[in-house]
Amino acid sequence: SDHFYAMLRATAGQVGGYTMSSAQYAQRFVHPDDIPLVGVEIQKALETTDPHYSSQLEHRIIYADGETGYITVSIFIGKDDQGRTIKTYGVNQDITERKRLEEILKKEQQELKLIIDSSPIIVFYKDKEGKFIRVNKTFAEALKMPEKDFLGKTVFDLYSAKIAQGMTNDDQEVLKTGRPKLNIIEQYESARGIRWVQTDKIPICDKNGIPVGLIGFAQDITERKR
């Protein structure tokens, strides 16, 4: 259709009409590295015994002007009375802008993680129930725990009840008031024993200004305390 060609930044006249073999289409418009991926999905559609079969995939395309883009393809089939696949048909949607945005966000997240993990200061995020949703490398190394093992845990899973309760009281104050609490001098139990830290806790709020969690920064001041 004309919409199909418009998505590819071409016209039927430029391509040679509204009929094109799958091989011609792949050679002209599918990114060379993704041709095998498309071929596998088409083969599945041809070989399936399910009369209601459908599938969806994303792959790169080469626009008529030479630029690379992305589309999502929904594939459906038609079978004859003997159950043989006699046609495939589908819908293509250009998702290039979405993919580019995803790549930008992924890069920003990687850069942010690099900055946070390079910091000598302990950094952590908690939800409003006090469960850790992210910690940095410094925190993980201090407790000799993999970062993923923090997720879903609270301070009561990591420390003695007395230390954990003091931290929780500060968390609840920040979440209740919606205001940061700074320069908290407290202890925690590291893999090297009891350490002193100076902690700042800042609320994370939703679009309505309601606290939904907090971020904390804790600097080790053990040597200073000694």
Side-chain angles (χ1 to χ4, degrees), residues 12 21 49 171 219:
S21 72
T49 58
D171 291 351
Q219 183 174 8

Side-chain angles (χ1 to χ4, degrees), residues 60-79:
R60 288 169 291 178
I61 58 172
I62 305 297
Y63 294 111
D65 60 12
E67 188 178 350
T68 299
Y70 292 84
I71 61 172
T72 180
V73 185
S74 298
I75 301 173
F76 307 91
I77 63 171
K79 288 184 174 292

